[in-house]
Amino acid sequence: MKHVRIHLETTHTEKKSSVPVDTSYWETLWDTYTSDFASVEIHCWQEETELLEELAKISANSIDQGLVKSVTITLNEDNCNYLRNHSIDSNGGIKWFTLFFYKEDIQMMEIAQYGSEIVLYGVDKNEAAEFQKLFPENADAEYFKEHLM
């Protein structure tokens, strides 16, 4: 599957090894690219108990996966608004380690490393170039014609 991968400039915090320096893209990304997605699967480290408790209030399902807990959230209007407006960590980056967005059962977008790496699937080269415009100029973008899953 064709896709674009964006790597953002990173820093670290006391609790996170890699967070984006700039998260100014976040609200526009939500407003522009998540409206057609049915659900998001969010992965947190088990020790991030406060974050997991926060997500439990809106989750449809959660699964323990060893060191990680996976929380699935249906992307209705209320949940989208909540995630859009309450995802930035005051200590840097996105609150959660990884987010996988789905349109039905097909993964369409991945946000990893607390928001440092973003992948949008199923886009042509022009759509990828448009997507890249959301991010700071120093972001590194790679376009792939194929993706072996």
Side-chain angles (χ1 to χ4, degrees):
M1 179 186 287
K2 297 175 182 181
H3 66 281
V4 60
R5 176 178 289 139
I6 308 291
H7 294 273
L8 299 172
E9 180 183 357
T10 62
T11 187
H12 66 280
T13 66
E14 185 178 322
K15 295 183 179 185
K16 298 177 183 177
S17 61
S18 178
V19 297
V21 172
D22 182 352
T23 56
S24 62
Y25 66 87
W26 185 252
E27 290 180 2
T28 304
L29 178 69
W30 268 94
D31 294 345
T32 309
Y33 287 93
T34 65
S35 61
D36 291 337
F37 300 153
S39 64
V40 61
E41 180 181 314
I42 300 176
H43 290 192
C44 292
W45 298 107
Q46 290 282 4
E47 65 263 16
E48 296 175 316
T49 54
E50 285 182 33
L51 299 177
L52 291 167
E53 288 172 10
E54 177 184 0
L55 291 174
K57 297 173 187 173
I58 60 172
S59 73
N61 185 29
S62 65
I63 300 170
D64 287 337
Q65 298 178 331
L67 298 174
V68 172
K69 186 161 194 158
S70 169
V71 177
T72 301
I73 298 170
T74 303
L75 291 177
N76 59 35
E77 185 177 349
D78 289 340
N79 291 344
C80 281
N81 287 332
Y82 182 82
L83 292 171
R84 177 193 184 273
N85 297 321
H86 296 93
S87 296
I88 304 298
D89 187 339
S90 61
N91 295 314
I94 305 304
K95 290 180 182 178
W96 309 291
F97 186 67
T98 310
L99 298 90
F100 302 96
F101 292 84
Y102 292 90
K103 188 174 187 176
E104 298 175 17
D105 292 337
I106 300 168
Q107 184 180 330
M108 299 302 297
M109 186 166 59
E110 177 180 339
I111 300 172
Q113 303 292 325
Y114 299 107
S116 298
E117 181 178 314
I118 299 95
V119 181
L120 182 64
Y121 297 100
V123 293
D124 63 30
K125 206 165 193 162
N126 292 332
E127 293 165 324
E130 196 63 32
F131 184 68
Q132 184 179 353
K133 291 178 184 177
L134 294 178
F135 303 97
E137 287 185 20
N138 62 353
D140 182 36
E142 298 174 84
Y143 180 73
F144 298 88
K145 291 182 181 178
E146 294 183 19
H147 177 67
L148 303 175
M149 294 179 107

